[in-house]
């Protein structure tokens, strides 16, 4: 019997990934809903049905693979950000700053009025600022979306991620300072960690293109080199408690501006990238418990509704100033709905640093489950409404 249980545990994740892929393909063909909405739902149901089989510990191969998958997505997102465009049209960045900080303020106010402790409300507000790059980028690639709204969404997602990580890390630093009284530890969990992570990614973004130019034939070798360096970056950041989010984003951003080709056919990093993405979405919600989802459900619903309204209105308010029709601006704001995978992995990375916040943030569990299913659907509908998907073209 013990041998059977060991075998079952070893097979649980591969079978869950296979089940998620099959369910995603069939439901997508029948309903045209995004596949990733199905992946997360399958992962959550499997984890609730067999909690012992899907329990993961720090350093588990599943967690490592999920973080590598997220790193590949963040690299691709960073690679698609054009800083020159933001300099030419600063209103895009201004709209992102406005909607992010407005979201933070509104979510903090609602959570405080709900009776949530001040520090917990601050953490909720910082996480609500974020938009999941995994959810948005997967929908964009799946729908082959392109156009003004699509590019604005990708740039705003990158900005949301950076602002959310910065704010979250600073708040966690103060949390540690309040509980331990160690100012040195608080600083190490915020400013030093963030600067070191960004510098590490930027250095890789300069070195890898230089090596590829020396080797020649960038189109063939580039994708493999990028993937290998992302794996190394994720390993280094976890070993030294740095931020893999900022490191991989900075790597992609710097590599793009070193003029190394990364063609459309190489997006998602091929079949291996697709497989890791499915594992990422299955894993993300498997870490959540049903009890936390239920206890935080009502607050999560209110916060998600407020977040959606503020982000949509915040981006739409700057649509004319940033040179796009109000329809495109409204669609761009709506497309920022996903937030699930980013939040889960950020909390997991914080837990690896010795700060466990999952129980304090029960509302996050409910928000994650809701937006795992609804977020990609809203993004897909927004891009279709903006007439930038393949079908509309």
């Amino acid at each position: 019997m013990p041998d059977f249980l060991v075998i079952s545990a070893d097979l649980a994740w591969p079978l869950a990934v296979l089940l998620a892929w099959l369910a995603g393909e069939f439901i997508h063909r029948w309903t045209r809903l995004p596949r990733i909405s199905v992946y997360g739902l399958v992962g959550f149901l499997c984890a609730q049905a067999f909690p012992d089989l899907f329990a993961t510990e720090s350093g588990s191969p599943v967690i490592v693979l999920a973080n590598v998958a997220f790193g590949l997505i963040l690299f691709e997102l960073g690679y698609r950000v054009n800083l020159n465009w933001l300099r030419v049209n600063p209103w895009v960045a201004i709209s992102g700053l406005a909607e992010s900080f407005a979201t933070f303020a509104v979510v903090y106010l609602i959570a405080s009025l709900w009776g949530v402790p001040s520090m917990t409300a601050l953490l909720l507000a910082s996480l609500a600022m974020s938009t999941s790059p995994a959810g948005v980028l997967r929908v964009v690639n799946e729908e082959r979306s392109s156009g003004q709204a699509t590019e604005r969404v990708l740039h705003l997602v990158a900005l949301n991620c950076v602002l959310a990580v910065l704010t979250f890390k600073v708040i966690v630093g103060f949390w540690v300072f309040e509980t331990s009284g160690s100012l040195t530890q608080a600083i190490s969990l915020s400013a030093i960690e963030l600067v070191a992570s960004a510098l590490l990614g930027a250095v890789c973004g300069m070195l890898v293109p230089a090596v590829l130019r020396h080797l020649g034939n960038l189109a063939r070798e580039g994708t493999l080199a990028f993937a290998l360096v992302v794996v190394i970056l994720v390993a280094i950041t976890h070993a030294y408690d740095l931020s893999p989010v900022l490191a991989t984003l900075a790597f992609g951003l710097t590599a793009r501006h070193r003029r190394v080709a990364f063609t459309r056919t190489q997006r998602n990093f091929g079949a291996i990238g697709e497989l890791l993405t499915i594992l990422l979405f299955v894993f993300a919600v498997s870490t959540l418990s049903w009890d936390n989802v239920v206890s935080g459900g009502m607050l999560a619903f209110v916060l998600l509704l407020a977040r959606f309204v503020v982000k949509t209105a915040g981006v739409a308010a700057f649509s004319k100033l940033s040179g796009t029709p109000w329809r495109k601006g409204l669609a761009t704001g709506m497309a920022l709905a996903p937030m699930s995978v980013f939040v889960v992995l950020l909390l997991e990375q914080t837990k690896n640093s010795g700060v466990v916040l999952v129980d304090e943030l029960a509302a996050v569990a409910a928000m994650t489950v809701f937006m795992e299913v609804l977020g990609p659907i809203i993004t897909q509908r927004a891009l279709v409404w903006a007439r930038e998907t393949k079908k509309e073209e």
Side-chain angles (χ1 to χ4, degrees):
M1 180 64 71
D3 292 339
F4 173 75
L5 290 176
V6 171
I7 293 172
S8 299
D10 290 340
L11 289 176
W13 283 105
L15 289 175
V17 170
L18 176 61
L19 180 61
W21 174 72
L22 288 172
E25 290 299 320
F26 280 114
I27 292 178
H28 177 72
R29 293 186 182 187
W30 291 337
T31 65
R32 304 305 300 172
L33 293 176
R35 295 176 176 87
I36 53 173
S37 294
V38 182
Y39 298 159
L41 187 59
V42 170
F44 182 72
L45 293 176
C46 287
Q48 303 314 305
F50 307 101
D52 294 335
L53 295 181
F54 289 92
T56 53
E57 299 178 355
S58 178
S60 165
V62 174
I63 296 179
V64 173
L65 289 174
N67 279 284
V68 169
F70 195 54
L72 293 174
I73 290 169
L74 285 167
F75 167 82
E76 184 176 347
L77 176 66
Y79 194 89
R80 296 186 66 169
V81 171
N82 186 349
L83 292 179
N84 294 326
W85 182 49
L86 293 179
R87 280 194 287 267
V88 172
N89 188 356
W91 286 108
V92 175
I94 292 171
S95 68
L97 291 170
E99 58 88 2
S100 294
F101 288 115
T103 300
F104 180 91
V106 170
V107 170
Y108 175 74
L109 177 62
I110 293 174
S112 298
L113 293 175
W114 202 274
V116 175
S118 178
M119 191 62 71
T120 304
L122 287 171
L123 290 168
L124 279 171
S126 66
L127 292 173
M129 295 169 70
S130 69
T131 300
S132 175
V136 172
L137 195 58
R138 179 64 191 232
V139 171
V140 167
N141 287 340
E142 188 174 276
E143 298 295 324
R144 298 183 183 178
S145 179
S146 62
Q148 269 199 45
T150 301
E151 292 305 314
R152 287 166 188 262
V153 167
L154 293 175
H155 284 71
L156 291 175
V157 168
L159 184 60
N160 283 177
C161 288
V162 173
L163 292 174
V165 170
L166 292 175
T167 308
F168 182 79
K169 291 294 185 181
V170 169
I171 294 170
V172 169
F174 281 110
W175 178 298
V176 172
F177 176 63
E178 281 192 349
T179 55
S180 68
S182 172
L183 183 60
T184 302
Q185 187 178 4
I187 293 174
S188 67
L189 284 171
S190 52
I192 295 176
E193 172 187 342
L194 298 172
V195 172
S197 302
L199 284 176
L200 179 63
V203 169
C204 290
M206 290 185 287
L207 291 178
V208 174
V211 172
L212 290 175
R213 285 195 186 90
H214 180 72
L215 293 174
N217 203 355
L218 300 182
R220 187 185 67 183
E221 306 294 344
T223 304
L224 177 59
F226 291 145
L228 289 173
V229 174
V230 166
V231 173
I232 293 171
L233 273 177
V234 170
I236 292 174
T237 52
H238 278 274
Y240 294 98
D241 289 332
L242 300 176
S243 172
V245 174
L246 288 184
T248 48
L249 259 178
F251 176 37
L253 185 64
T254 309
R256 177 205 172 99
H257 290 82
R258 304 298 291 183
R259 298 293 188 268
V260 176
F262 188 69
T263 65
R264 179 175 292 276
T265 58
Q266 295 168 316
R267 289 177 184 172
N268 292 328
F269 289 89
I272 295 299
E274 294 283 344
L275 175 61
L276 289 176
T277 299
I278 299 173
L279 174 64
L280 170 63
F281 280 90
V282 171
F283 164 77
V285 289
S286 71
T287 61
L288 308 174
S289 70
W290 177 251
D291 292 338
N292 280 342
V293 172
V294 172
S295 62
M298 185 57 67
L299 175 58
F301 176 78
V302 175
L303 293 180
L304 285 174
L305 182 61
R307 174 184 177 272
F308 178 76
V309 171
V310 172
K311 280 188 173 292
T312 302
V315 176
F318 290 88
S319 57
K320 291 293 185 181
L321 290 171
S322 61
T324 192
W326 71 267
R327 179 191 180 108
K328 295 272 189 179
L330 204 59
T332 301
M334 292 169 60
L336 297 175
M339 61 173 288
S340 53
V341 171
F342 180 89
V343 168
V344 169
L345 291 186
L346 193 60
L347 289 175
E348 282 293 316
Q349 291 154 12
T350 305
K351 184 168 66 177
N352 293 338
S353 301
V355 182
V356 181
L357 301 171
V358 177
D359 292 334
E360 287 85 354
L361 301 174
V364 168
M367 293 169 76
T368 300
V369 172
F370 291 157
M371 296 316 292
E372 180 70 24
V373 178
L374 296 178
I377 297 174
I378 296 172
T379 299
Q380 182 196 52
R381 293 294 95 197
L383 294 176
V384 170
W385 186 50
R387 298 181 182 142
E388 295 190 359
T389 61
K390 180 183 177 184
K391 180 178 179 181
E392 293 295 329
E393 291 170 357

